[in-house]
Amino acid sequence: MLRDDIKTATVTSMKAGDKERTATLRLIGAKIKDRDIEARTGKAPENDDELVTEVLQKMAKQRRESITMYEDGGRQELADQEKAELAVIEEFLPQMMDEAQTRAAIEEAKASTGAESIRDMGRVMAELKARHGATLDMGLASGLVKSSFS
């Protein structure tokens, strides 16, 4: 399980004395625990790996946004720190689909939902998330779905 892999990596990095990696892995663990607490009161994914993947994807998205903001603001040292954290987070994320695979998944989703116009975009996006949620960049997919109806 992904959660166990993260715990093992944390112990390994602690033993190796890698402070930056350990800090990032502990941050991941804390976010996962926060999500566990939220899941007690709300709707939780059925699969534990799905929950952990959601947390990791959210963390990765936040890091990417921060990197852009820091670089635009001329704060390269902070951008580099965020890049290091992002690299650790991405180690545990499944391999994302490339653009060609995303386009193929969109066509498959359009065919299975019977989507014919931009009004059907919501159904297509829901189908994509259900089938490929962990491996699909939904931001990229959204733009490609829009352009596929043009």
Side-chain angles (χ1 to χ4, degrees):
M1 284 175 43
L2 203 47
R3 186 183 299 254
D4 296 333
D5 293 344
I6 293 168
K7 288 178 183 175
T8 303
T10 304
V11 171
T12 304
S13 69
M14 287 170 56
K15 288 180 180 177
D18 188 347
K19 291 181 182 179
E20 290 81 18
R21 181 175 171 79
T22 302
T24 302
L25 289 167
R26 284 182 172 162
L27 182 64
I28 292 169
K31 292 289 186 185
I32 291 170
K33 285 180 183 175
D34 288 346
R35 183 65 174 91
D36 288 342
I37 292 168
E38 288 176 22
R40 289 182 202 154
T41 59
K43 181 178 179 263
E46 297 169 13
N47 182 341
D48 185 59
D49 279 351
E50 285 180 26
L51 182 139
V52 174
T53 301
E54 283 178 13
V55 170
L56 292 172
Q57 285 176 329
K58 185 174 182 179
M59 290 178 73
K61 181 180 179 188
Q62 290 170 337
R63 296 305 174 287
R64 287 186 195 102
E65 290 170 356
S66 295
I67 290 167
T68 303
M69 288 185 347
Y70 287 141
E71 286 177 341
D72 290 346
R75 301 293 308 265
Q76 191 57 44
E77 69 282 355
L78 294 173
D80 292 340
Q81 180 181 346
E82 294 288 320
K83 285 178 184 176
E85 288 181 7
L86 180 61
V88 173
I89 292 166
E90 286 180 337
E91 287 178 30
F92 299 100
L93 281 172
Q95 184 65 35
M96 299 302 275
M97 296 170 77
D98 63 17
E99 189 173 336
Q101 293 170 321
T102 302
R103 288 183 188 279
I106 289 169
E107 292 306 315
E108 184 180 310
K110 283 172 62 176
S112 69
T113 60
E116 296 176 0
S117 70
I118 194 75
R119 286 182 272 147
D120 301 320
M121 183 175 168
R123 286 190 300 166
V124 173
M125 292 300 292
E127 182 73 16
L128 287 170
K129 185 167 179 128
R131 288 186 185 186
H132 309 286
T135 59
L136 185 65
D137 179 352
M138 295 308 281
L140 171 65
S142 176
L144 292 175
V145 170
K146 280 182 187 175
S147 67
S148 73
F149 286 117
S150 304

